Structure formats: structure tokens, C-alpha cells
Amino acid sequence: EENGHQNKRLKTGANEEDVEDQNKKSPKRKIVLLMAYSGKGYHGMQRNVGSSQFKTIEDDLVSALVQSGCIPENHGEDMKKMSFQRCARTDKGVSAAGQIVSLKVRLIDDILEKINNHLPSHIRILGLKRVTGGFNSKNKCDARTYSYMLPTFAFAHKDHDVQEEAYRLDRETLDKVNKLLACYKGTHNFHNFTSQKGPRDPSAKRYIMEMYCGEPFVRENVEFAVIQVKGQSFMMHQIRKMIGLVIAIVKGYAAESIIERSWGEEKVDVPKAPGLGLVLERVHFEKYNRRFGNDGLHEPLEWTQEEEKIAVFKEQHIYPTIINTEREEKSMANWLNTLSIHDFNSSAVEMQVNNKNSK
């Protein structure tokens, strides 16, 4: 049956014996793929089978896997059949430089080249490694590192009239940003940094290993900076809200004490920074690497040889998209204008009373 499905996809002129030979020569194996993509125009990473109007990165990936002959067509329709698992579900518009997916495929010749031939240029498979049969990229991942690229005028105080292209971040403000970002380190209750989680939900507790803002740099006359955050795992919108709250404090809309308050049980109004600048940088498999990385059969899941390809992809596809979209659509500038309508001082009870009164 699989060969029949496969056959439809083959170019005319190929016969069934070729397909049989190809399938015998390339048994199914569990692998991981290192992926990079620019997320603009996509509704996130994860495929929504049955809702074709919301295009995702996995839609394009699965299509390329079928067309290249790595998986039969019916596995594309039911992803469980190939034990597919993505390491991180990136949200709408979010990019990745080091996403990992695990799945079973036929190890055909020139597999990476063949898959990439069926992908758009803003999605690339940069590496492949064999893994253990029971490997699951989501469960085996110890930590994830994200970056967030933003124009530095986001940190200009609200009382200063700022020309966006002329603004340059001073040392004192950068030090303040880093002092605030460091407050997130450790284990905290992040229920205020996502939706649909209550303060007593154990899964709202998350562990952050590091968070800092690097030195600013100028691109296309605008100064940018990149915030890095490494954590065990993140909830939907968590990083964007963590950054949104720091921007609100640095700009003078909220008091520094709001970060401590947000760990408590009361509902705190936390603004969510735009998705545009967020990039999944890398995923970490330290425990797996210690156990299987040097067992003689498997390689450690590290990508030092692919680092140059990752850097080139970011320069060609991710950074220009963030910079050009920011210039054309002004997503950060427009979002900054909404900060004044947030209520950073009232408690949840006061907010409910105000809502009733306004109604």
C-alpha cells in the first residue's frame, strides 16, 4: 500500500521495481532534524489538521517529506504513524534558528538535499542525526534558549520625545534592563504571564536559568538589541509577557515592584510584546547526551558543525524579516502606544469593580 502511495508521487518513467528497491535499501529509522525558519506569515509551528486556512510550518515540512519520498503519503495525513514530535511549539509569526523535530523516516540518499528541494527558501533543514528508537524531542529536551530582537527605542522613557532612528541606548538604561531581566532567574509562578492558568496550577511554575540583554547594534539606521533567555520550558506568550513587563517598567509606566507582585496569587495586568522579534535559538539535550551521546551508536545532539549554516540563515532570512517588518508595519512602535491603557496598579478585585462600572 505504501509503495502504491509512493508511486503516485514518482516522476513518470520510474517503475515499481525502482520503488521496491528504494524502499528495501532505505529502512525506516528514528532521526532528528535541525530546522530553521522565518515564521512571518505562518500560524506557528504546529500543524492543525483539518484547518487549512491557517498555514503552519509543519504543513510545509510534511508536504516536503512526502514529496521527497522520506515518508508515505498516509503518514503525512496521520503524523502519529511516523512518531512525529516537535521540540517547541512556536507561536504565530515566531521564527527558529535551531528547532528540532524527531520522527521515523526512510533514510534515502541525499535526504537533506531532497527535503530542502521541496521547501520554500525561508524553511531549511540544516542537519540530521540518528537517535534512539524511543526518543521524543519534546520530552527529552532539558532546556530551550530563545532570543528576542527589538529596536532599542522600546526602552526610551515615556516622558521623552524620541526620534526612533536617532535613539541610542545608554549604558545606564541597559544596566537597568539587565537588572530587571535578572529578577526572572530561578523558579517562579508565571500564571500572570500566560492565559488559562490559575495561580494554584502547578504547571505555572517555571524555571529560568538565564536572561540578559546584549550590546546594541545598528541595522538600517535603527539601533537594535537582542535579549537571550534560557529556561526549562515556556508557556504560551510567557517570554513576550516577561519582556513586555520589563519594557513597561523601564519606560516608566509600572513600578519595579510589579515583578514581585506578579508571582503572587492576584491577577496582574501584564502586557505582551509583539511576536515578531522572538526566535527559538536552540534546544538542549544535556541528559540524553550524557547517556547516549558517546555510546558508540549515537552522536550527541550538538550542532557545532552546523553553527555557520545557522548564522548564515539568520542573516539571510530571520534578521532582515524582523528589521523590514518593523520598519514597514511598526509593530513595536504601535504596541508601545498601547502601554498607557494598561492598569499596572490595581488588583484583580479593583479591575472587576471598574469593569462593572464601565459596563
Side-chain angles (χ1 to χ4, degrees), residues 6-70:
Q6 179 76 18
N7 229 20
K8 289 179 203 165
R9 292 273 168 189
L10 284 177
K11 293 188 179 75
T12 49
N15 60 35
E16 286 181 32
E17 283 159 34
D18 290 343
V19 180
E20 285 288 342
D21 289 349
Q22 171 76 338
N23 289 349
K24 278 178 193 158
K25 270 192 280 186
S26 46
K28 286 207 186 94
R29 293 286 180 260
K30 191 65 159 295
I31 58 154
V32 294
L33 296 175
L34 172 69
M35 283 185 82
Y37 51 84
S38 170
K40 189 185 178 187
Y42 287 88
H43 281 255
M45 170 75 184
Q46 189 171 354
R47 198 167 180 218
N48 305 308
V49 178
S51 82
S52 54
Q53 77 265 38
F54 297 125
K55 196 176 182 198
T56 69
I57 299 291
E58 281 175 18
D59 287 328
D60 281 357
L61 173 63
V62 170
S63 169
L65 291 170
V66 171
Q67 287 177 284
S68 60
C70 296

Side-chain angles (χ1 to χ4, degrees), residues 28-310:
K28 286 207 186 94
R29 293 286 180 260
K30 191 65 159 295
I31 58 154
V32 294
L33 296 175
L34 172 69
M35 283 185 82
Y37 51 84
S38 170
K40 189 185 178 187
Y42 287 88
H43 281 255
M45 170 75 184
Q46 189 171 354
R47 198 167 180 218
N48 305 308
V49 178
S51 82
S52 54
Q53 77 265 38
F54 297 125
K55 196 176 182 198
T56 69
I57 299 291
E58 281 175 18
D59 287 328
D60 281 357
L61 173 63
V62 170
S63 169
L65 291 170
V66 171
Q67 287 177 284
S68 60
C70 296
I71 60 167
E73 199 166 341
N74 62 348
H75 287 206
E77 287 148 23
D78 181 0
M79 291 164 78
K80 288 196 202 81
K81 287 185 174 167
M82 55 172 162
S83 309
F84 186 93
Q85 187 57 258
R86 88 267 327 143
C87 186
R89 270 191 319 217
T90 51
D91 294 340
K92 179 185 173 186
V94 175
S95 298
Q99 168 75 286
I100 297 285
V101 298
S102 54
L103 66 159
K104 281 184 179 160
V105 297
R106 296 195 189 105
L107 284 175
I108 57 175
D109 297 336
D110 307 319
I111 182 168
L112 290 192
E113 192 186 333
K114 283 175 182 163
I115 299 170
N116 282 326
N117 284 344
H118 294 286
L119 283 169
S121 60
H122 55 264
I123 304 178
R124 289 291 94 178
I125 306 299
L126 301 179
L128 176 153
K129 289 185 195 286
R130 287 276 305 274
V131 284
T132 55
F135 184 85
N136 174 315
S137 61
K138 187 175 170 218
N139 299 347
K140 296 284 186 229
C141 179
D142 310 304
R144 296 151 176 88
T145 297
Y146 281 84
S147 68
Y148 188 86
M149 183 175 169
L150 75 173
T152 57
F153 64 72
F155 296 124
H157 197 278
K158 66 179 170 67
D159 297 338
H160 298 167
D161 190 23
V162 170
Q163 293 298 311
E164 289 165 12
E165 292 205 351
Y167 182 82
R168 297 294 177 261
L169 188 65
D170 59 66
R171 175 59 48 190
E172 193 185 340
T173 309
L174 180 59
D175 289 345
K176 183 175 185 184
V177 169
N178 274 317
K179 188 181 126 213
L180 292 167
L181 292 174
C183 297
Y184 288 123
K185 288 203 284 199
T187 302
H188 301 286
N189 186 337
F190 282 98
H191 74 97
N192 273 309
F193 294 79
T194 189
S195 54
Q196 298 158 341
K197 282 209 194 291
R200 308 215 172 153
D201 187 333
S203 68
K205 283 205 168 70
R206 299 288 159 134
Y207 174 50
I208 306 296
M209 297 158 190
E210 60 181 18
M211 193 164 188
Y212 62 90
C213 182
E215 293 294 320
F217 52 91
V218 177
R219 292 281 171 94
E220 311 269 335
N221 299 328
V222 177
E223 188 181 66
F224 287 86
V226 175
I227 293 170
Q228 294 265 10
V229 55
K230 182 181 181 184
Q232 218 165 31
S233 60
F234 297 95
M235 298 177 289
M236 189 175 179
H237 301 152
Q238 183 186 338
I239 298 170
R240 289 163 61 188
K241 283 188 169 251
M242 289 163 78
I243 291 165
L245 194 57
V246 166
I247 291 172
I249 296 167
V250 175
K251 288 190 83 66
Y253 288 105
E256 284 189 35
S257 58
I258 195 169
I259 293 185
E260 286 293 324
R261 247 178 66 212
S262 71
W263 313 140
E265 293 211 350
E266 69 168 310
K267 189 90 182 105
V268 174
D269 186 4
V270 178
K272 179 176 72 189
L276 175 67
L278 192 59
V279 180
L280 174 63
E281 286 286 337
R282 60 172 47 203
V283 288
H284 307 265
F285 296 96
E286 281 132 28
K287 279 195 202 111
Y288 173 87
N289 287 346
R290 280 198 297 273
R291 185 162 175 205
F292 297 107
N294 298 301
D295 64 358
L297 295 170
H298 305 96
E299 308 166 78
L301 295 183
E302 286 158 359
W303 307 94
T304 38
Q305 289 174 314
E306 286 76 14
E307 301 239 311
E308 197 177 320
K309 283 196 274 187
I310 292 171

